[in-house]
């Protein structure tokens, strides 16, 4: 990853502070006390200058953080002739900034995966031939050739008899969709059937996929910023420190006592311990297969109280599987599946792959088909073991029935996708396809509730008939179906009124909602790359139960960070009182503060353990 200017600046300041401290100590040991003091002061100045710039920027935003104490202690050390103490404080502060930025630099990258999904060129009909043109040159009315495996670059209408599309990137629906002539197809969907022609309706910049990109960018700009834990304690600790330091100076007339108070008050238990605890939590989550992009994301994950979950690929497996076989009298389920899978060996349709896998799982012996004719997106017919077999949707099956054959199969729920099998002109059976729930879906819902999630909303682009059985089985609090990408953003925005929202999804259509939530979680193992780029948290393994584990890590890291803060500031407060009474000079105070830092850092590192 390319280093950011902030990251490079933090490394440089840490190197200057550490290098200056080391060089000064060496000069002091060989008798160059004046040179040592000069080097310590010189090494303190860049850190102080950088800190003052940050403070001015924060004050302009209305934020008064604990960085002010660190700046005052360094400035006072230089003014009152205690450069070594100032250098030690500078090293503590630069180290804390380095550790904090180490986590934050893993944050959001540019959405190159989202923008790179659509090809940059497309084949356009030109008279009797074809020409390859940039998608920016496509205008409404152009006739385009879309080949199998290509992503539609623009919105358009189907100009061929039919087209089979994978629409999961936009709707989350895992089952393929067959469109007929003059039906509208959206950019961002993938052609998984035979080659077809598309007549462009809109330029690429105005198409559905481009709109999703704009939604993500807009949602990221309006995201509520994460609040550092340190800032929550800033005001009262700042007031207390200034009161003790000013009181000691006024009471004794000795400015060094004020400096000593400021040095031991430098809030490194907050500046250092909190980032260490957060980074340790991030590392622990990574061992579980969960990538957390920074400290703000881990804090937000622990604070989440509302969960908005996508269905396809999140709570379900994300691909069609054989769920049931209905057979006509005289037929056995395995024989129906064997005939259908044998014929489907000649097809590249996604449903064909599912049937072949189901047959192989049952150890059925498949026969090579002959005289195969496929109607793209509808079905295919061929000869298997001297039987004429037709496999496809209901309309295709009806067209291959003998006139005397009646259709007397039972009705199937609207949530099911069915494939009819016709043998020698009679309906022999129906294969019922479904997108099954993940094995851990019910368990993870229970664990999310146990982890503090008060309300769970299922937000999906699927039809209500498809989503309702899932919502009932998992005892989901609320179902929102038939949603567009903007609709999912609206659901997340509305849910935030009741508390911090966690959005979990896996498709490109989920990316805007992931960006709009307080914390977005992407199913990165099989999900779209764009959703992983947009999300704050990415599940790198195909197990949604790891989300509950990650929330547990977030809670534990927050507790450990808070323990470090309370213990560290408590010890600092005692040291401040001792320094105000004159028993703790600035240099010894700085060293004592370093010892306190080591203690709280060791405590913070406990977040690495299970």
């Amino acid at each position: 990853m390319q280093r950011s200017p902030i990251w490079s600046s933090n490394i440089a300041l840490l190197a200057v502070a550490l290098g200056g401290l080391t060089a000064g100590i060496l000069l002091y040991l060989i008798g160059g006390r004046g040179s040592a003091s000069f080097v310590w002061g010189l090494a303190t100045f860049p850190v102080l200058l950088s800190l003052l710039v940050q403070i001015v920027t924060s004050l302009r935003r209305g934020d008064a953080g604990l960085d002010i104490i660190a700046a005052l202690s360094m400035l006072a050390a230089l003014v009152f002739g205690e450069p070594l103490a100032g250098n030690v404080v500078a090293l503590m502060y630069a180290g804390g900034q380095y550790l904090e930025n180490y986590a934050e630099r893993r944050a959001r990258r540019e959405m190159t995966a989202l923008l790179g999904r659509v090809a940059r060129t497309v084949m356009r009909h030109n008279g009797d031939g074809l020409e390859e043109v940039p998608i920016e040159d496509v205008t409404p009315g152009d006739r385009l050739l879309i080949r199998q495996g290509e992503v539609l670059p623009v919105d358009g209408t189907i100009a061929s008899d039919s087209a089979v599309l994978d629409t999961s990137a936009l709707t989350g629906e895992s089952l393929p969709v067959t469109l007929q002539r003059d039906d509208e197809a959206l950019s961002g969907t993938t052609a998984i059937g035979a080659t077809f022609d598309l007549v462009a309706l809109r330029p690429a910049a105005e198409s559905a996929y481009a709109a999703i990109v704009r939604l993500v960018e807009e949602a990221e700009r309006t995201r509520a910023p994460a609040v550092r834990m340190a800032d929550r304690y800033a005001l009262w600790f700042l007031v207390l420190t200034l009161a003790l330091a000013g009181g000691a100076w006024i009471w004794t007339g000795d400015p060094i006592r004020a400096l000593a108070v400021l040095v031991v008050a430098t809030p490194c238990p907050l500046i250092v311990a909190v980032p260490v605890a957060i980074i340790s939590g991030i590392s622990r989550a990574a061992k579980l297969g969960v990538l957390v992009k920074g400290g703000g994301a881990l804090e937000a994950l622990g604070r989440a109280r509302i969960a908005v979950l996508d269905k396809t690929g999140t709570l379900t497996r994300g691909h069609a599987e054989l769920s049931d076989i209905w057979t006509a009298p005289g037929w056995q389920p395995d024989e129906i599946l064997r005939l259908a899978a044998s014929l489907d060996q000649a097809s590249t349709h996604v449903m064909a792959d599912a049937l072949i896998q189901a047959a192989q799982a049952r150890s059925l012996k498949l026969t090579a088909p002959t005289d195969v004719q496929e109607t793209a997106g509808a079905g295919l017919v061929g000869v298997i073991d001297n039987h004429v077999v037709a496999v496809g949707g209901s309309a295709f099956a009806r067209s291959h029935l003998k006139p005397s054959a009646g259709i007397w199969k039972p009705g199937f729920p609207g949530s099911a996708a069915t494939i009819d099998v016709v043998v020698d002109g009679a309906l022999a059976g129906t294969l019922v396809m479904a997108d099954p729930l993940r094995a851990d879906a019910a368990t993870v819902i229970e664990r999310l509730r146990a982890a503090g999630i008060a309300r769970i909303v299922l937000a999906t682009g699927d039809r209500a008939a498809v989503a309702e059985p899932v919502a009932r089985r998992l005892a989901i609090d609320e179902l929102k179906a038939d949603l567009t990408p903007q609709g999912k953003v609206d659901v997340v925005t509305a849910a935030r009124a009741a508390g911090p929202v966690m959005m979990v999804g896996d498709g490109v259509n989920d990316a805007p909602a992931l960006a709009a939530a307080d914390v977005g979680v992407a199913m990165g193992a099989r999900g779209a790359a764009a959703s992983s780029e947009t999300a704050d948290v990415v599940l790198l393994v195909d197990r949604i139960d790891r989300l509950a584990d990650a929330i547990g890590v977030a809670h534990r890291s927050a507790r450990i960070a808070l323990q470090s803060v309370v213990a560290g500031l408590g010890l600092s407060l005692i040291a401040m009182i001792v320094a105000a009474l004159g028993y703790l000079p600035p240099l010894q105070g700085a060293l004592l503060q370093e010892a306190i830092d080591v203690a709280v850092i060791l405590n913070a590192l406990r977040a690495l353990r299970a």
Side-chain angles (χ1 to χ4, degrees):
M1 184 192 304
Q2 186 177 3
R3 290 180 175 177
S4 67
I6 294 177
W7 172 251
S8 300
S9 174
N10 285 339
I11 293 178
L13 291 176
L14 180 61
V16 168
L18 181 59
L21 181 63
T22 304
I25 291 174
L26 292 176
L27 288 171
Y28 185 86
L29 292 176
I30 62 176
R33 295 188 177 185
S35 299
S37 296
F38 176 77
V39 169
W40 288 326
L42 189 63
T44 304
F45 183 75
V47 179
L48 174 59
L49 183 62
S50 173
L51 181 53
L52 290 174
V53 171
Q54 292 182 35
I55 291 172
V56 170
T57 302
S58 297
L59 290 175
R60 286 178 176 174
R61 295 197 306 263
D63 299 331
L66 288 167
D67 296 342
I68 293 176
I69 301 176
L72 287 175
S73 62
M74 281 185 270
L75 182 61
L78 295 179
V79 171
F80 298 135
E82 295 284 348
L84 177 55
N87 197 167
V88 172
V89 173
L91 179 60
M92 290 189 294
Y93 181 80
Q97 291 295 295
Y98 171 86
L99 289 172
E100 187 173 29
N101 190 251
Y102 177 81
E104 294 301 328
R105 71 189 274 270
R106 298 291 309 266
R108 202 165 324 281
R109 303 181 183 114
E110 294 182 4
M111 294 173 295
T112 53
L114 180 62
L115 297 174
R117 175 177 166 82
V118 177
R120 297 301 176 190
T121 60
V122 66
M123 301 302 293
R124 182 172 63 185
H125 287 277
N126 182 13
D128 295 331
L130 291 168
E131 59 178 346
E132 186 174 6
V133 298
I135 61 171
E136 293 82 4
D137 292 347
V138 175
T139 59
D142 285 350
R143 190 182 182 96
L144 310 175
L145 179 70
I146 308 298
R147 294 165 292 191
Q148 185 177 27
E150 289 185 340
V151 177
L152 275 62
V154 297
D155 299 342
T157 56
I158 305 300
S160 300
D161 291 336
S162 64
V164 184
L165 300 176
D166 175 5
T167 64
S168 59
L170 295 183
T171 67
E173 175 61 71
S174 61
L175 302 177
V177 174
T178 300
L179 300 182
Q180 304 302 324
R181 184 181 294 274
D182 296 329
D183 287 345
E184 183 174 348
L186 298 179
S187 59
T189 56
T190 305
I192 58 175
T195 298
F196 64 92
D197 285 348
L198 181 79
V199 176
L201 285 176
R202 287 173 281 275
E206 299 176 11
S207 294
Y209 205 72
I212 288 181
V213 174
R214 289 193 295 271
L215 281 173
V216 173
E217 293 171 344
E218 178 63 25
E220 286 184 325
R221 285 195 295 269
T222 58
R223 174 193 294 274
V227 179
R228 292 191 311 168
M229 182 181 292
D231 293 337
R232 301 173 195 162
Y233 305 91
L235 185 58
W236 72 266
F237 193 78
L238 176 61
V239 172
L240 178 61
T241 299
L242 295 178
L244 274 175
W249 191 350
I250 295 171
W251 179 37
T252 65
D254 183 5
I256 299 302
R257 289 203 186 185
L259 171 60
V261 171
L262 291 174
V263 167
V264 295
T266 300
C268 287
L270 286 173
I271 296 174
V272 179
V274 171
V276 169
I278 296 300
I279 293 169
S280 298
I282 291 172
S283 299
R284 177 61 194 164
K287 291 180 181 179
L288 298 172
V290 182
L291 173 64
V292 181
K293 300 179 181 179
L298 193 69
E299 276 198 74
L301 187 63
R303 292 197 309 268
R305 293 296 176 265
I306 313 296
V308 178
L309 308 179
D310 176 46
K311 181 185 78 69
T312 303
T314 302
L315 294 176
T316 66
R317 296 179 185 175
H319 57 83
E321 293 184 5
L322 180 67
S323 65
D324 195 10
I325 303 176
W326 173 84
T327 60
W331 289 96
Q332 295 298 317
D334 280 359
E335 181 62 11
I336 295 297
L337 176 59
R338 188 189 73 82
L339 290 173
S342 294
L343 181 59
D344 271 340
Q345 292 178 108
S347 175
T348 59
H349 197 283
V350 64
M351 287 291 199
D353 290 336
L355 292 183
I356 293 171
Q357 290 176 14
Q360 291 172 344
R362 299 189 184 199
S363 300
L364 302 181
K365 186 176 180 180
L366 303 185
T367 303
T370 59
D371 300 327
V372 179
Q373 297 179 0
E374 182 170 8
T375 302
L380 68 166
V381 61
V383 177
I384 305 290
D385 297 336
N386 296 320
H387 293 288
V388 178
V389 180
V391 177
S394 295
F396 182 83
R398 286 174 184 270
S399 68
H400 288 81
L401 291 174
K402 292 179 178 178
S404 59
I407 296 182
W408 27 266
K409 67 177 181 176
F412 295 97
S415 59
T418 59
I419 300 173
D420 290 334
V421 181
V422 175
V423 180
D424 295 329
L427 182 64
T430 297
L431 305 169
V432 182
M433 311 298 291
D435 183 6
L437 283 174
R438 291 175 178 268
D440 55 354
T443 302
V444 80
I445 295 298
E446 296 175 0
R447 293 186 61 193
L448 288 177
R449 296 190 189 280
I453 301 298
R455 184 172 182 79
I456 299 177
V457 180
L458 182 60
T460 178
D462 286 358
R463 293 172 288 116
V466 174
E468 282 173 356
V470 174
R472 285 196 302 270
R473 182 172 176 182
L474 297 180
I476 299 294
D477 297 310
E478 184 179 4
L479 169 64
K480 297 290 186 179
D482 298 302
L483 295 176
T484 63
Q486 178 63 60
K488 290 189 177 183
V489 172
D490 294 340
V491 169
V492 169
T493 303
R496 290 180 70 179
V501 175
M502 172 181 67
M503 170 67 195
V504 187
D506 75 322
V508 175
N509 62 305
D510 299 318
L514 292 173
D518 294 277
V519 56
V521 181
M523 303 293 294
R526 293 191 305 172
S531 64
S532 297
E533 290 292 325
T534 305
D536 306 285
V537 178
V538 182
L539 302 185
L540 301 177
V541 292
D542 194 26
R543 290 181 52 182
I544 193 173
D545 62 322
R546 291 296 171 85
L547 175 58
D549 294 332
I551 294 176
V553 169
H555 288 163
R556 185 167 186 268
S557 299
R559 286 197 303 270
I560 290 174
L562 185 59
Q563 292 167 5
S564 297
V565 166
V566 172
L569 292 188
L571 293 173
S572 294
L573 180 59
I574 294 172
M576 288 162 59
I577 295 173
V578 173
L581 296 175
Y583 298 110
L584 192 61
L587 179 56
Q588 287 82 347
L591 295 175
L592 175 61
Q593 184 63 54
E594 285 283 16
I596 294 173
D597 291 345
V598 170
V600 297
I601 288 173
L602 290 176
N603 181 68
L605 287 172
R606 291 192 300 115
L608 280 171
R609 300 197 296 271

